[in-house]
Amino acid sequence: MNPFDRELTQRLDEWRDQSLLRELRAVQSPQGARIQVNGRELLNFSSNDYLGLASHPALKEAAVRAIERFGAGAGASRLISGSLSPHHELDETLAAFKGTEAALSFSSGYTTAVGTICALLGRDDWVLIDRLVHASIVDAARLSSARLRVFRHNDLDDLQRILRQVNRRRANSISGSPRPRVLIVTESVFSMTGTLAPLKELVQIKDAAGAWLMVDEAHATGLYGPNRRGLADELGVGDRIEIQMGTLGKAVGAAGGFICGSRPLIHLLVNRARSFVFSTAPPPAAAAAATAGICVIQSDEGARRVTRLWNSVSSLEAQLRAHAPSLARHASRSAILPVVVGLESKALDAASVLQERGLFVPAIRYPSVRRGAAQLRVSITAMHSDADISALASALASSVNPL
Ligand SMILES: *Cc1c(COP(=O)(O)O)cnc(C)c1O
């Protein structure tokens, strides 16, 4: 083996020793309540396709039609000749869906976070993030070169303490230079814990402190609020959040990410978000499928699917309270149920026991969560039947010991 491969193999071996090594598994079916993994059918509790739209006929048909009319690839970036009709239609659909002046779609949620935060902030600015935000936001905050502060998860006192410090430093900044900006970034529904951010209070706090607020609704878009726009919609604060982010690859059933907000925000991103400017436009099929996904979400069928999902979540919680109270969550209403088991090896063992029983529940380990806080992450979707939920509850109750 050459020195290069020897070094890499050593690093991989270290991760294996710590139960942190990961492998790809080939899935031979579309997303659904059941998936085919390595030739075996498993009940799937791992998908973010919360409403079952990824293989919905309306989305597939929209994608096929877009390919027939516009081809497989966009051929250039949006700012050159790649800004095709399906992209414009998607941006307009997103703005109408979220009730904002404007919207801009990106090729993924990850590139949305990186492009947006780096476009808004520079080295004299401040970025304040919740401890549990997604890696895309952490990476964006670091890459922006703004000064980074982390507040404890959903802890408003800690956030206010940091804001007071930052505002004292802001008041002392050299006169004549522009006042440093402060951006608070959080998720509305946290991807690994399923906890909900106190958005009403956050809006008041950022207004009082003269800061901006960016909220990533990756796990809430399509699921919460009277218009199913997300948690900000449910809490009635959408129009007070400067930067509303989301992904198109989860409940929307397609692929991509987006920002909704004011016209100046979107115009700035078109000019300055480097992941948007310097990247080929997403395939027209992805944009068309996302538009179709948002249309389904806004329809009566979307409402029925959301009701179905929340009924399954309630039913799971009730069964766990009855048969495995240590697994029942006490906090918030979300489609994500984390079962923290602690040791990485314990999470892998629990996942393989569940797999033997025919259930696919992923073991989530560092760096997705803290070391020693490995968990099983159960996600419920609108496609699960009552029998699927009961099978999950009894498998969890009999084979998983939480920390
Ligand atoms: C999945 C996720 C992203 C990234 O979105 P992709 O479209 O998958 O790149 C960003 N933020 C959060 C909170 C996520 O869960």
Side-chain angles (χ1 to χ4, degrees):
M1 205 185 278
N2 65 37
F4 174 74
D5 287 333
R6 197 171 324 124
E7 189 203 313
L8 303 200
T9 306
Q10 229 166 40
R11 284 157 67 175
L12 290 163
D13 287 344
E14 280 164 31
W15 293 333
R16 185 179 295 107
D17 291 344
Q18 299 170 47
S19 300
L20 292 176
L21 198 67
R22 302 173 181 211
E23 302 285 355
L24 293 173
R25 52 180 91 68
V27 175
Q28 297 103 355
S29 65
Q31 288 297 310
R34 279 165 187 74
I35 50 172
Q36 190 88 16
V37 186
N38 299 331
R40 184 157 170 236
E41 189 180 88
L42 296 171
L43 245 179
N44 178 21
F45 292 103
S46 70
S47 180
N48 299 316
D49 179 25
Y50 296 115
L51 298 177
L53 300 189
S55 42
H56 189 287
L59 279 78
K60 291 201 281 191
E61 198 189 310
V64 169
R65 272 212 313 270
I67 290 173
E68 280 164 355
R69 278 194 62 199
F70 295 96
S77 70
R78 293 277 307 264
L79 279 168
I80 306 299
S81 58
S83 204
L84 308 178
S85 315
H87 301 120
H88 289 266
E89 212 178 307
L90 173 58
D91 292 348
E92 282 157 28
T93 303
L94 281 164
F97 169 48
K98 298 281 274 188
T100 55
E101 272 181 13
L104 189 66
S105 54
F106 291 71
S107 12
S108 73
Y110 187 97
T111 55
T112 304
V114 171
T116 301
I117 293 175
C118 294
L120 288 170
L121 301 180
R123 30 186 296 254
D124 295 325
D125 300 324
W126 298 84
V127 58
L128 279 45
I129 63 176
D130 186 285
R131 226 188 98 67
L132 295 189
V133 290
H134 189 260
S136 58
I137 295 168
V138 176
D139 294 358
R142 288 187 182 144
L143 193 61
S144 74
S145 71
R147 290 171 282 193
L148 173 62
R149 291 285 181 277
V150 179
F151 55 95
R152 286 197 296 265
H153 178 51
N154 277 347
D155 186 334
L156 299 173
D157 291 335
D158 198 38
L159 173 62
Q160 283 179 297
R161 181 185 61 79
I162 293 170
L163 277 168
R164 280 193 297 273
Q165 285 174 359
V166 165
N167 272 343
R168 271 199 298 276
R169 300 268 299 269
R170 262 214 291 189
N172 295 334
S173 58
I174 310 153
S175 62
S177 61
R179 184 172 144 90
R181 309 166 185 106
V182 180
L183 174 67
I184 302 167
V185 192
T186 193
E187 269 160 52
S188 59
V189 175
F190 282 81
S191 60
M192 291 300 146
T193 55
T195 42
L196 310 186
L199 294 183
K200 271 189 182 160
E201 292 77 4
L202 280 167
V203 159
Q204 284 165 359
I205 289 171
K206 66 93 187 170
D207 279 345
W212 299 335
L213 180 62
M214 173 167 171
V215 176
D216 180 354
E217 297 248 38
H219 296 275
T221 307
L223 306 183
Y224 294 78
N227 307 294
R228 296 184 283 289
R229 292 169 180 166
L231 189 63
D233 181 30
E234 179 156 311
L235 299 174
V237 293
D239 57 354
R240 296 182 62 192
I241 297 167
E242 283 81 2
I243 306 129
Q244 300 193 63
M245 174 185 157
T247 61
L248 300 167
K250 289 169 181 157
V252 178
F258 64 85
I259 296 289
C260 288
S262 66
R263 252 180 229 110
L265 169 65
I266 299 310
H267 204 186
L268 182 127
L269 295 178
V270 166
N271 280 270
R272 284 283 185 267
R274 295 170 65 87
S275 63
F276 177 87
V277 174
F278 295 105
S279 192
T280 300
T291 301
I294 293 162
C295 292
V296 175
I297 284 172
Q298 289 176 296
S299 70
D300 291 344
E301 183 192 349
R304 283 196 300 275
R305 285 178 181 244
V306 171
T307 304
R308 167 82 216 148
L309 171 64
W310 293 129
N311 286 343
S312 291
V313 169
S314 310
S315 155
L316 175 65
E317 304 240 314
Q319 292 180 54
L320 290 177
R321 266 196 308 276
H323 305 295
S326 61
L327 295 177
R329 171 178 42 210
H330 307 290
S332 42
R333 182 174 56 97
S334 83
I336 303 160
L337 175 78
V339 180
V340 179
V341 297
L343 283 180
E344 286 74 22
S345 55
K346 205 176 149 195
L348 288 177
D349 291 346
S352 78
V353 168
L354 289 170
Q355 191 152 332
E356 278 155 29
R357 296 187 55 154
L359 283 78
F360 184 58
V361 179
I364 307 285
R365 294 161 285 158
Y366 175 84
S368 303
V369 293
R370 275 188 300 112
R371 279 180 196 272
Q375 65 174 48
L376 295 171
R377 180 182 182 277
V378 175
S379 53
I380 307 298
T381 74
M383 295 166 294
H384 290 120
S385 68
D386 294 346
D388 297 340
I389 298 295
S390 299
L392 171 68
S394 72
L396 287 175
S398 63
S399 48
V400 179
N401 281 317
L403 193 61

